Amino acid sequence: MARKKKLAEIKTKPTQASVDEFINSIDDEQKREDSFTILQMMKDASGEEPVLWSSSIIGFGNKQVTSTATGRTVNWLRIGFSSRKANLSLYLTVNYEKHLDLMKELGKHKAGAGCLYISKLDDINLDVLRKIIKLSLHNLV
């Protein structure tokens, strides 16, 4: 009889840690300011309170996601972001290729694998970013 392989426990989970303390701990002043701006944008768009997932992802809302590879269902954030050294990573569910017009209007960015990567908010059009966040929230992908 074949043994079933045990699935690893997902490490990205909601915590009780303070989102504001996390953002205030970001050394780079520009990234810290940009993080507070994105925090407010996502809070306004979602109507949800932010939650720190694991040690570095700020998420809004909860949804069930089923892996096509394993069939496992896990809780995940509806939208979120993380301030990384290289960029701000926004976790959104938008088919970027379907919305090329918006992506061109957005400004300097990279997109892939469910993430939108932005170096700094000064490089992009914030009104377009708000539209993209709303598309993601309302599953208008």
Side-chain angles (χ1 to χ4, degrees):
M1 177 159 73
R3 287 178 50 167
K4 283 192 171 185
K5 191 175 180 181
K6 186 177 178 183
L7 293 174
E9 185 178 342
I10 188 165
K11 292 181 173 93
T12 307
K13 299 182 197 180
T15 70
Q16 297 296 316
S18 167
V19 170
D20 285 344
E21 283 181 26
F22 168 71
I23 294 175
N24 281 319
S25 73
I26 298 169
D27 290 333
D28 183 292
E29 184 178 347
Q30 182 69 55
K31 282 212 176 14
R32 191 170 52 249
E33 289 176 14
D34 287 353
S35 293
F36 276 118
T37 299
I38 294 170
L39 178 80
Q40 193 60 54
M41 289 172 74
M42 289 188 169
K43 190 174 180 178
D44 291 346
S46 69
E48 301 272 352
E49 288 299 315
V51 172
L52 191 66
W53 286 63
S54 294
S55 62
S56 63
I57 298 174
I58 298 167
F60 296 82
N62 238 324
K63 66 180 179 179
Q64 295 275 310
V65 178
T66 303
S67 167
T68 55
T70 66
R72 177 172 61 170
T73 300
V74 297
N75 284 324
W76 193 247
L77 45 106
R78 287 178 64 209
I79 59 170
F81 72 98
S82 184
S83 179
R84 308 280 188 207
K85 279 190 182 203
N87 51 44
L88 296 159
S89 301
L90 282 70
Y91 301 95
L92 304 169
T93 55
V94 173
N95 180 338
Y96 300 113
E97 290 181 13
K98 184 178 173 185
H99 298 283
L100 287 176
D101 55 332
L102 273 179
M103 302 316 291
K104 286 178 186 173
E105 289 179 49
L106 180 61
K108 187 176 174 185
H109 71 279
K110 292 182 182 174
C115 285
L116 182 63
Y117 304 102
I118 299 166
S119 293
K120 59 184 185 269
L121 294 184
D122 287 345
D123 291 342
I124 63 162
N125 181 323
L126 295 181
D127 290 332
V128 173
L129 180 58
R130 283 183 190 90
K131 287 179 188 176
I132 293 168
I133 290 169
K134 285 180 184 174
L135 283 172
S136 183
L137 279 168
H138 300 294
N139 293 319
L140 301 171
V141 295

